Amino acid sequence: MAAPETLSPRALNRATLARQMLLAREGAPVVEAVERLGGLQAQEARPAFVALWTRLEGFRRDELAAALRDRRLVRGMLMRATLHLVSAADYAVFRPALAPVMAAAAAGALRGRDDGLNIAAVLAVARRLVDERPLTFGELRPLLAEAFPDVDERALGYATRTHLPMVMVPTEDPWAFPADAAFTLAGTWLGAEVPGAGGDPEALVRRHLAAFGPATAADVQRWSGLTGLKAVLQGMADELSVFRDERRRTLFDLADAPRPAEDTRAPARLLGEFDSLLLAHADRTRVVPDEHRGALVSRNLRVPAIFLVDGFMAGTWRVDRTKKSATLTLTPLTKLTKRDTTELTAEARALLEFTEPPGTDLSVEVTSR
């Protein structure tokens, strides 16, 4: 039996960028794109729009907003017990499979604050309350506290957030959700009950490999928050291809997934905060050079907006706004060529035109190293 092919870091980079629509913008419909991308990290509302603008040709903000209001896409707690934006179909499959992740998150966060907490009883009350009308957690927690006055109010809220399948209700806000969005039952919103447990992790594995592969078991576990996936991957051996990386780790992939040549050109791209590309692997070196790892670390656990040059992280960016102006500042972590700077500046200007209101004075600055 022949030894598995070894894939270089550049080969892994190009394979993942191809799946993430970062080698060329594509014309996919918004729901199909979100599925192909493995869902979008959505701790905040705006970055999901930026993620699609970066990847889709001619993307318009109202396309995503309409898909959310039409309930074809939903925003709820999923992978790693964090907010994600996924298709309605993927939510129904993913949420039950991620029940162990939700339980583990709750156990960790509630340790020491769970005196008197009866999760089954709390969920019964929370389900009734949220089914009556959508509620923000600022509204829901005091109502739960009335029913369970001897239990920590925050514990009541987090137990509900993790154990009860719920989605956020979109509004007419510019980014489809207000800062403090209301939640409703996923089953009510989607018109079909979503089980809180009992799903199949193989569906998650396939979605991860299609969006971020080739990947190790540790990569899929880091992205999903699930453990024990090595055995799941091994059980899928008949449908997967196997590779090695330069550190001799085993990589799994869908047999027909794209794996472009490592010399394929990768254009400059801007990724918003919390972009899923930076959160989908235990080993980020296929996108983030070791010398730049420190730039992703923040005291408040935010994942910064970054830009890619030749497919790899080469710096960070931010937008500073006043009432009438917006300035996007690019901060390189490595020396940029004139071509890189020109390409990045054009991308940055186009992104500002997408995110900022008409009539805003727009400018792009590049800081010196």
Side-chain angles (χ1 to χ4, degrees), residues 71-78 84 86-96 102 126-127 130-135 160-170 182-196:
R71 310 186 188 196
R72 291 174 290 142
L73 294 173
V74 296
R75 183 182 176 204
M77 184 174 279
L78 288 168
H84 278 74
V86 299
S87 71
D90 275 355
Y91 183 91
V93 173
F94 289 1
R95 182 58 180 78
M102 305 301 174
R127 178 181 291 275
V130 178
D131 204 27
E132 289 176 356
R133 65 181 178 91
L135 296 169
T160 301
R161 185 186 293 269
T162 49
H163 286 88
L164 191 62
M166 295 185 295
V167 297
M168 297 174 110
V169 178
F183 284 78
T184 191
L185 294 176
T188 300
W189 188 252
L190 298 177
E193 189 63 26
V194 178

Side-chain angles (χ1 to χ4, degrees), residues 97 200-207 232 235-236 239:
D200 180 3
E202 288 190 4
L204 280 165
V205 170
R206 291 188 190 95
R207 185 64 82 204
V232 175
M236 300 169 64
E239 64 179 276

Side-chain angles (χ1 to χ4, degrees), residues 181-264:
F183 284 78
T184 191
L185 294 176
T188 300
W189 188 252
L190 298 177
E193 189 63 26
V194 178
D200 180 3
E202 288 190 4
L204 280 165
V205 170
R206 291 188 190 95
R207 185 64 82 204
H208 180 273
L209 295 180
F212 302 106
T216 64
D219 290 330
V220 188
Q221 291 180 169
R222 176 64 63 86
W223 170 76
S224 66
L226 286 168
T227 58
L229 291 183
K230 184 175 182 180
V232 175
L233 283 157
Q234 290 172 339
M236 300 169 64
D238 289 348
E239 64 179 276
L240 301 179
S241 297
V242 177
F243 300 91
R244 293 271 193 269
D245 66 11
E246 292 185 344
R247 299 182 188 180
R248 308 298 298 165
R249 290 174 293 199
T250 299
L251 299 159
F252 300 90
D253 203 7
L254 302 179
D256 59 352
R259 289 180 287 275
E262 62 179 53
D263 60 354
T264 302

